[in-house]
Amino acid sequence: WIQISTGRSDYRSVSNILFSNGEKDPWRVGVPDEDKLSASVNTLLIAGAAHHEDLRFDPPPDAPNFAAVRKAKAEEFMRLQSWLFPEE
């Protein structure tokens, strides 16, 4: 059902969506195909991360995925800012 509800859907007529997925996230197989996304619908794969790890507190600085999770959070923040404040 996940590929029908996300991966096979057409997102070319919508805007401002970010699909973030951890490399260890079993749901990442449902990410929409790149050719079915509009310019402001993006996907982000976080190396070494699990499900929703970008929505939690930062992992310990010595965790193997610390840099990847921090980078993903910065990318998500940048995207949100560009959607909320497009002229700044």
Side-chain angles (χ1 to χ4, degrees):
W1 68 269
I2 194 162
Q3 290 191 358
I4 292 170
S5 65
T6 59
R8 300 288 183 238
S9 297
D10 191 335
Y11 289 87
R12 290 177 284 198
S13 63
V14 299
S15 61
N16 302 348
I17 299 174
L18 176 63
F19 292 96
S20 66
N21 295 281
E23 185 179 41
K24 298 176 182 177
D25 187 349
W27 299 107
R28 71 184 169 98
V29 298
V31 142
D33 298 330
E34 291 287 329
D35 63 336
K36 295 182 180 178
L37 304 179
S38 71
S40 71
V41 176
N42 306 102
T43 61
L44 180 64
L45 181 63
I46 308 167
H51 186 66
H52 289 349
E53 200 156 345
D54 56 327
L55 302 177
R56 300 176 185 160
F57 292 108
D58 283 344
D62 60 344
N65 64 350
F66 176 77
V69 172
R70 291 291 301 263
K71 182 179 176 184
K73 287 181 177 189
E75 173 73 18
E76 292 164 353
F77 183 76
M78 183 205 66
R79 295 275 178 198
L80 289 170
Q81 279 192 314
S82 72
W83 297 337
L84 296 172
F85 311 106
E87 296 179 16
E88 294 182 16

